[in-house]
Amino acid sequence: FDPHDRGIDMDNLDYHVLKPDIDRYGISKCRDWLLGVEFGRRYKAEGIVSVPINPGNVLTELARDAAWQLKVVGRLVAYKVISFGVCSQLFSAFSPNIEKVDWTKDWVIPWGRLAPLRADLSKAVIPEEEGGNGNARLFWEWNEEQVKDYL
């Protein structure tokens, strides 16, 4: 549900072309990753490490407005103990090797493990001048435009 090499479709950020709920959920995860990597790229010189995380399937109220069918499936596959979800964050905060990870290729998955991303996604977070397509930078700038009146 995402364009090859770009991560997200910059021409459909407002979903004027409707997407199913499950696609929008997946796209939201990719958006989080793009922003996390771009944040890290922008602030690395200041000593900030930005870690893209998938906390896992933890039962929360996030799906409260979803269709009942999705809620049923969610209850079957989600962990009911929210403390499982914190494992990824703790790993990201305290792992001694976290600064050495290439976030253009990997991310943290449940429950505090590193996993490779789909290979084509790297191009989205690499600036154009370095051989990527700069889609993460474009998405960052789009987000800045959306919130500028509130800052």
Side-chain angles (χ1 to χ4, degrees), residues 26-114:
I27 292 166
S28 76
K29 300 302 116 196
C30 192
R31 287 178 174 191
D32 292 343
W33 171 74
L34 287 169
L35 290 174
V37 174
E38 182 65 11
F39 185 90
R41 188 185 68 75
R42 288 173 181 249
Y43 296 102
K44 183 177 185 175
E46 296 178 33
I48 296 173
V49 177
S50 179
V51 181
I53 301 171
N54 173 355
N57 297 339
V58 180
L59 193 58
T60 68
E61 287 297 311
L62 288 176
R64 65 185 166 274
D65 297 321
W68 69 268
Q69 299 93 332
L70 188 58
K71 287 181 184 180
V72 168
V73 171
R75 289 198 177 275
L76 293 172
V77 299
Y79 287 86
K80 292 169 181 58
V81 181
I82 200 155
S83 60
F84 282 121
V86 79
C87 293
S88 299
Q89 286 86 340
L90 289 172
F91 171 81
S92 300
F94 298 110
S95 174
N97 297 322
I98 210 78
E99 293 178 19
K100 298 174 186 160
V101 177
D102 181 353
W103 298 117
T104 67
K105 296 180 178 147
D106 295 312
W107 71 327
V108 176
I109 63 167
W111 314 111
R113 299 170 291 151
L114 295 173

